[in-house]
Amino acid sequence: NNNNNNNNNNRQRNKNATTNMIARRSAHFLLASLTFLSALQSASARPKTLQEQELGHYRGFFDGAYVGFTTLLSFMGYYEEEEVKLGLDTDSLIIDPEDEEDQTEIKIVGLGLGRTGTTSLVVALEILGYAAVHDDEQTELTDLYAAEDREEIDMDEFHEILGLRGYNATFKTASYHWVERHPEVKAILTVRDDPDKYVDSWLVAAPFVEILERRPFRWMATVDKLMESFEAEYRMETTGGNPENFLDRDALRQNYVEYVNAVQESIPSERLLTFNVKQGWGPLCEYLGHPIPEGIPFPHVHTRAKLRGEMDFLRMITWIWPLAIVLPLIFIAMVLKSVSSVSLFGIKAMKLD
């Protein structure tokens, strides 16, 4: 009887030890995950440094890789607001009552092509107090894009809802034709020093749309909802409607010149500022009726090195995504092996007793 009691006690101790070990490892893993996710919750791809050209190539590249990481998370729906997720689930558009005090209307539209200083301008507008739709916000508006794709809302209603959600400036949603029809809206056309500098910079960004066509991005619901918009921005707008030329230098150069001319001819000069970010605060603040911010340099952000870091990170994901399946299986196998080892040790200890 004593031997039986001892064996039972040993089995119970070994069982408790195994349970405690698994609980400790699970707690450590959960704590680490929560800490990591907590840090990401407040993360933003918006530049934290106003003069990124001073950071150097390697720092810019690694900052860009971080932007690529947050882009991956946004495509996975990590940053979507609950109202957006609910809207996608129910095919309805929801305005959070808590946003009522921030409700406004679209006042500023950025019409510059990509890589003409639009990110720098967005940061400048935010310093002046505007709330802008740009790259970071695009993935948070998937319910709007889905509703527009279903033809449940038109572009006027699209921008009205943007205002109800607190945005008063947009760089991703309105064409110059839309601005032309809305005399209450002011437009800003960002330009480069010359067309060749635009083309040199744009060709670093243009492969983005090809990356999204590869696994795993093409499986992501957010990418699927936004793909039509990305196609328009990266293949249609930059080529004058000839998507097969989206990597062709001559076609890009010609379209840049024609696009700038078309915008300037379509919108009255009193409602259009043609702006090179090298001009700084003066022309922008005069156009918008704001005083020049004291002691704050005009932003110069999203350098080419940073863009390369972002593109390379996203491109890397298309190569290594199978590890997302393999690594969890390896982790589970290691845990099972560890549990098996502890159990085996307990059996040996019982035999020795």
Side-chain angles (χ1 to χ4, degrees):
N1 288 337
N2 288 334
N3 288 334
N4 289 335
N5 289 336
N6 289 334
N7 289 336
N8 289 335
N9 289 336
N10 287 332
R11 280 196 293 269
Q12 186 61 41
R13 280 196 299 270
N14 290 326
K15 183 178 179 181
N16 291 341
T18 302
T19 302
N20 290 337
M21 181 201 69
I22 295 174
R24 284 196 303 272
R25 291 188 178 183
S26 299
H28 291 159
F29 178 76
L30 180 61
L31 180 60
S33 300
L34 291 175
T35 302
F36 180 65
L37 292 175
S38 176
L40 289 178
Q41 189 65 45
S42 59
S44 170
R46 257 325 179 256
K48 304 295 190 299
T49 302
L50 296 183
Q51 305 297 309
E52 288 188 337
Q53 79 279 8
E54 298 177 357
L55 296 179
H57 176 84
Y58 292 107
R59 168 67 187 279
F61 182 88
F62 286 112
D63 282 355
Y66 170 76
V67 172
F69 176 63
T70 60
T71 299
L72 172 64
L73 292 181
S74 67
F75 284 151
M76 295 171 67
Y78 183 78
Y79 297 117
E80 279 182 353
E81 300 286 347
E82 289 303 318
E83 63 192 63
V84 174
K85 293 179 181 178
L86 181 60
L88 289 170
D89 291 339
T90 61
D91 287 343
S92 60
L93 296 173
I94 299 171
I95 307 298
D96 192 336
E98 295 182 3
D99 293 339
E100 186 173 347
E101 61 182 30
D102 297 322
Q103 289 178 356
T104 179
E105 59 187 15
I106 296 298
K107 300 175 182 177
I108 305 294
V109 171
L111 293 177
L113 296 173
R115 302 306 297 166
T116 59
T118 56
T119 306
S120 296
L121 179 57
V122 165
V123 175
L125 289 175
E126 290 178 341
I127 291 172
L128 294 177
Y130 291 91
V133 173
H134 195 240
D135 293 334
D136 289 359
E137 291 71 30
Q138 197 171 15
T139 55
E140 300 170 17
L141 302 171
T142 45
D143 59 333
L144 281 183
Y145 284 99
E148 197 268 334
D149 187 53
R150 295 192 301 267
E151 298 184 351
E152 295 176 1
I153 59 174
D154 58 25
M155 292 312 294
D156 287 343
E157 293 168 320
F158 188 107
H159 289 95
E160 180 183 358
I161 295 171
L162 284 184
L164 294 176
R165 289 187 177 177
Y167 297 106
N168 55 10
T170 182
F171 283 69
K172 289 289 182 178
T173 61
S175 68
Y176 68 86
H177 299 295
W178 186 85
V179 175
E180 190 178 8
R181 293 188 289 104
H182 289 268
E184 74 280 6
V185 173
K186 287 188 171 184
I188 303 173
L189 174 65
T190 44
V191 295
R192 296 295 294 259
D193 293 341
D194 61 66
D196 288 314
K197 288 188 176 181
Y198 156 74
V199 174
D200 290 341
S201 188
W202 177 252
L203 284 174
V204 180
F208 176 70
V209 71
E210 287 186 318
I211 293 173
L212 297 186
E213 292 172 338
R214 302 173 191 166
R215 292 184 293 264
F217 295 104
R218 71 186 190 191
W219 294 334
M220 298 178 182
T222 298
V223 173
D224 182 61
K225 296 288 191 303
L226 296 175
M227 199 61 195
E228 185 176 342
S229 173
F230 290 139
E231 287 277 357
E233 179 182 359
Y234 283 81
R235 285 192 166 123
M236 300 296 288
E237 188 179 53
T238 58
T239 63
N242 299 292
E244 68 278 6
N245 294 329
F246 83 110
L247 295 177
D248 184 274
R249 287 191 64 91
D250 292 336
L252 292 170
R253 189 184 191 286
Q254 180 180 347
N255 180 75
Y256 172 84
V257 174
E258 292 176 352
Y259 177 82
V260 169
N261 290 336
V263 173
Q264 292 173 333
E265 291 172 1
S266 300
I267 302 174
S269 58
E270 65 271 14
R271 290 202 295 121
L272 176 67
L273 172 66
T274 301
F275 182 63
N276 188 317
V277 294
K278 291 182 178 180
Q279 295 174 277
W281 288 112
L284 179 65
C285 290
E286 181 181 356
Y287 176 64
L288 298 178
H290 287 273
I292 295 177
E294 294 185 13
I296 302 178
F298 190 89
H300 291 284
V301 298
H302 209 197
T303 62
R304 199 173 304 181
K306 185 175 183 180
L307 178 61
R308 289 186 189 280
E310 180 180 1
M311 292 299 105
D312 285 353
F313 179 88
L314 296 175
R315 193 174 287 110
M316 179 186 69
I317 294 300
T318 67
W319 302 334
I320 68 170
W321 66 267
L323 293 177
I325 299 173
V326 174
L327 290 179
L329 294 178
I330 293 175
F331 175 77
I332 293 172
M334 291 175 64
V335 171
L336 292 176
K337 182 178 180 181
S338 178
V339 171
S340 176
S341 298
V342 172
S343 299
L344 183 61
F345 176 79
I347 293 173
K348 290 180 177 180
M350 290 168 52
K351 289 182 177 180
L352 290 175
D353 290 343

